Amino acid sequence: MDVFTPDKRSEVMSHIRSGDTKPELFVRRLLFAAGFRYRLHAGKLPGRPDVVLPKYRTVIFVNGCFWHSHEGCSKAAKPGTRPGFWARKLARNKARDEENKKALLEAGWRVLVVWECACLKRFSDGLSEKIRRFLREDDRPWAEIGRSDLEHPDDVQAR
């Protein structure tokens, strides 16, 4: 049961930002501190990636766990109200993410997804190192970094 009236819920949801979110700013600070230079929100690329690193031909999406349905993440819990609406909305977001990733890969870009749950201060060193390794050493076309990858770094599986 929602604690807000429908009008109040609409107002609350209208204040959710799509760019310059706290997780996005967190990742950008890590990149800059590590010496990486980037562009933001390249409108001509599929999905308008949050960060574009032309030198590495890599884009980074900083995805909210709820909005992009991060599997296995507690932040991705589905709302109890209007389950049909949310199921369609979140499924469409996930499908669009896959379409954008495929288009970017076909265009020769590498794709890194950093999940919101990984953007915590206590994970900053590990997250920075994983991003650095993906950019400079990894030859995979795409990867994801979530909280579980940083809590148990030895258990990371190639995706």
Side-chain angles (χ1 to χ4, degrees):
M1 194 74 188
D2 199 347
V3 295
F4 294 123
T5 65
D7 288 340
K8 181 63 177 174
R9 171 61 60 203
S10 180
E11 178 188 338
V12 168
M13 297 302 279
S14 73
H15 292 290
I16 295 174
R17 298 162 48 143
S18 63
D20 294 335
T21 62
K22 285 182 182 181
E24 185 182 323
L25 294 173
F26 183 83
V27 169
R28 286 169 24 192
R29 280 189 209 103
L30 291 179
L31 286 166
F32 194 86
F36 294 104
R37 299 303 175 252
Y38 49 83
R39 285 192 266 149
L40 302 177
H41 311 291
K44 295 184 181 195
L45 291 175
R48 265 191 93 201
D50 299 310
V51 177
V52 180
L53 296 112
K55 178 178 178 180
Y56 299 93
R57 194 101 175 124
T58 300
V59 299
I60 299 176
F61 288 98
V62 183
N63 284 352
C65 297
F66 171 76
W67 294 106
H68 297 271
S69 301
H70 185 198
E71 291 183 34
C73 181
S74 62
K75 292 181 178 234
K78 305 294 183 274
T81 59
R82 301 177 60 201
F85 166 81
W86 285 110
R88 286 187 304 277
K89 168 96 175 134
L90 298 175
R92 178 63 192 129
N93 288 353
K94 196 166 184 153
R96 186 175 50 248
D97 290 344
E98 282 301 312
E99 292 165 11
N100 290 330
K101 180 176 81 172
K102 182 179 177 189
L104 286 161
L105 293 171
E106 287 173 359
W109 288 88
R110 298 175 67 222
V111 178
L112 179 62
V113 174
V114 177
W115 290 99
E116 167 191 16
C117 60
C119 297
L120 299 173
K121 188 174 182 179
R122 70 175 185 253
F123 296 140
S124 59
D125 291 341
L127 179 58
S128 181
E129 180 61 19
K130 286 198 175 296
I131 292 171
R132 185 200 64 75
R133 268 196 244 137
F134 180 78
L135 292 171
R136 292 197 173 138
E137 300 169 13
D138 202 330
D139 60 353
R140 292 178 291 167
W142 74 277
E144 295 181 4
I145 303 172
R147 179 182 185 150
S148 63
D149 299 321
L150 300 168
E151 289 178 328
H152 311 289
D154 297 333
D155 298 339
V156 176
Q157 298 174 354
R159 298 181 208 240

